[in-house]
Amino acid sequence: GQSFRASNSPVDLEELLREMMTGKGTLGGGVGGSSFRPKPSSYTRPLQCSLEELFGGATKKLKVDLGGSSKVYKIKLKPGWKEGTKVKFAATRNLPAITFVVKEKKHALFQRRGDDLFYRYRLEKPSRQTPLHLDIMLLDGTKWSRSIPISYLRAGQSLTIPDHGMPIKGGPERGNLIIEFYDD
């Protein structure tokens, strides 16, 4: 299994930066037993973002506190940003340059593939005469609803709904919502 680390608070980032600055982290390891470790000129840190934040855009604030110097970094996420997007801040008098790299948190219902959103729907074993009524709450809080004759659906099929996926480069264009049907 995978291990997940809760990181909604800025404490993880502060601790990582503190370890890097004091040489207790992975950056250290002086040559020949020397205790001299030059301060790095820049840092790269993950920026954990929910799919909702990457869908609608958001402002995130991260406080960095190093050696008595602290700074709150304000990061404006644009709709449609992808994992790997970098946000760079120049060095200040007291703090080195820092680059935040967007990391997408796993979502309970949707999986993002490029600009498309995938939603897995489990087919029960209902009577073949009844229509299947789909109610899907989208990332922007709106609901997408349709009735589909169940006789048309089989496990392994998918239904593509255009323009209901992730924003493409800030919008207004959007990718597709793709509903994948499965059974046991």
Side-chain angles (χ1 to χ4, degrees), residues 31-182:
V31 180
S34 167
S35 62
F36 173 73
R37 290 182 178 92
K39 288 183 180 180
S41 59
S42 66
Y43 291 97
T44 301
R45 288 290 167 262
L47 177 64
Q48 298 291 336
C49 301
S50 69
L51 206 48
E52 286 86 355
E53 288 171 330
L54 295 174
F55 180 89
T59 300
K60 295 185 77 91
K61 292 180 182 176
L62 292 168
K63 183 180 180 189
V64 176
D65 192 352
L66 288 170
S69 297
S70 68
K71 177 175 172 66
V72 175
Y73 291 91
K74 192 172 173 182
I75 301 163
K76 290 191 174 190
L77 305 175
K78 292 184 180 171
W81 271 11
K82 296 178 179 170
E83 179 150 336
T85 300
K86 294 179 180 178
V87 183
K88 298 179 181 183
F89 290 91
T92 63
R93 190 166 48 85
N94 299 320
L95 292 167
I98 188 163
T99 300
F100 295 100
V101 182
V102 169
K103 299 289 181 193
E104 183 184 299
K105 295 178 190 173
K106 187 177 169 91
H107 195 275
L109 300 175
F110 295 98
Q111 183 185 30
R112 180 183 189 174
R113 297 180 207 158
D115 295 315
D116 295 334
L117 286 174
F118 287 76
Y119 181 92
R120 288 180 43 81
Y121 188 92
R122 185 172 179 269
L123 290 173
E124 303 289 338
K125 307 281 190 243
S127 143
R128 283 287 169 200
Q129 282 71 45
T130 59
L132 174 65
H133 189 72
L134 292 172
D135 274 325
I136 299 174
M137 189 62 71
L138 302 175
L139 293 172
D140 61 1
T142 61
K143 189 186 284 187
W144 183 86
S145 300
R146 290 293 183 282
S147 289
I148 302 167
I150 196 79
S151 57
Y152 292 116
L153 296 176
R154 300 278 182 276
Q157 286 182 316
S158 62
L159 177 64
T160 300
I161 298 98
D163 303 319
H164 282 74
M166 293 295 288
I168 299 172
K169 293 184 181 177
E173 295 87 18
R174 286 169 50 180
N176 300 320
L177 170 64
I178 299 168
I179 303 169
E180 297 177 317
F181 297 97
Y182 71 101

